[in-house]
Amino acid sequence: GAGVSQSPRYKVAKRGQDVALRCDPISGHVSLFWYQQALGQGPEFLTYFQNEAQLDKSGLPSDRFFAERPEGSVSTLKIQRTQQEDSAVYLCASSLIGQPQHFGDGTRLSIL
Amino acid sequence: QKEVEQNSGPLSVPEGAIASLNCTYSDRGSQSFFWYRQYSGKSPELIMFIYSNGDKEDGRFTAQLNKASQYVSLLIRDSQPSDSATYLCAGRGVKTSYDKVIFGPGTSLSVIP
């Protein structure tokens, strides 16, 4: 399968723990996006990469959130010192420049 | 003001009717628009995209774009119960010069058999 792959699908963590969410985009896709989706809401933009360059991180809620894509392929979204309000589905999408996005299945994060 | 706005619904239509979903955007520089369908617990899937003013048809779906009015719509003809989902409108190039995509909050559609 050549789709966007996200792992883990589900993550439960205790408040204060650090978590790392992985996104493996479609091969050759230059653009990579992270979104946060709360229940009943649309996806909220977090950050955008073009290859390895993080061109926009204006949507990251706080300095506890950090994303990287060091080789321009796989990306990791890290959340430090998790809080209950971080509970959400985290979606990753990739695309060619200017083309429609392809979404992964998401990671459902629950903070206890 | 949100950059992409939609009525949250729920919108209910009888089976076989036309469902009309609307979206407005604030940035005149937006280049292209996308409609995604999202079933509960699933990730968004692309239905239509539109770049130019006017209508674009694909099967039972028609997307309409009016850049002067900053308005995008999606019409679903012969609505089926399987069309019941949340429909997300997204705009690309919103307030940036690069490949940023911003989503609206989504409209929940319910097709009543």
Side-chain angles (χ1 to χ4, degrees), chain A residues 48-85:
Chain A
Y48 164 67
F49 290 86
Q50 192 172 106
N51 295 306
E52 69 279 3
Q54 189 176 21
L55 297 188
D56 190 329
K57 54 182 181 179
S58 61
L60 295 177
S62 74
D63 59 7
R64 297 185 296 103
F65 286 71
F66 172 76
E68 60 183 2
R69 193 186 185 196
E71 298 179 358
S73 178
V74 172
S75 177
T76 303
L77 176 67
K78 297 178 180 178
I79 310 173
Q80 298 176 323
R81 304 181 304 281
T82 52
Q83 303 294 317
Q84 282 194 323
E85 62 263 28

Side-chain angles (χ1 to χ4, degrees), chain B residues 4-109:
Chain B
V4 178
E5 301 208 49
Q6 299 177 252
N7 291 329
S8 61
L11 172 67
S12 293
V13 299
E15 183 175 356
I18 296 175
S20 177
L21 303 159
N22 304 314
C23 171
T24 58
Y25 60 95
S26 60
D27 180 16
R28 287 192 174 276
S30 299
Q31 300 297 310
S32 53
F33 300 88
F34 306 86
W35 283 100
Y36 286 83
R37 177 175 61 198
Q38 187 174 29
Y39 293 112
S40 180
K42 302 294 186 182
S43 60
E45 56 177 324
L46 181 72
I47 299 175
M48 297 279 292
F49 60 92
I50 186 165
Y51 301 141
S52 304
N53 272 329
D55 295 359
K56 179 180 179 182
E57 187 174 318
D58 184 0
R60 295 186 297 113
F61 299 97
T62 299
Q64 299 173 317
L65 174 59
N66 184 325
K67 290 189 176 182
S69 299
Q70 296 176 241
Y71 177 88
V72 192
S73 67
L74 178 70
L75 300 177
I76 306 175
R77 289 181 298 282
D78 187 24
S79 296
Q80 301 297 310
S82 58
D83 294 328
S84 298
T86 295
Y87 289 80
L88 300 165
C89 172
R92 179 168 238 141
V94 179
K95 291 197 172 178
T96 69
S97 59
Y98 50 81
D99 208 27
K100 185 172 181 176
V101 179
I102 299 294
F103 282 80
T107 297
S108 175
L109 172 66

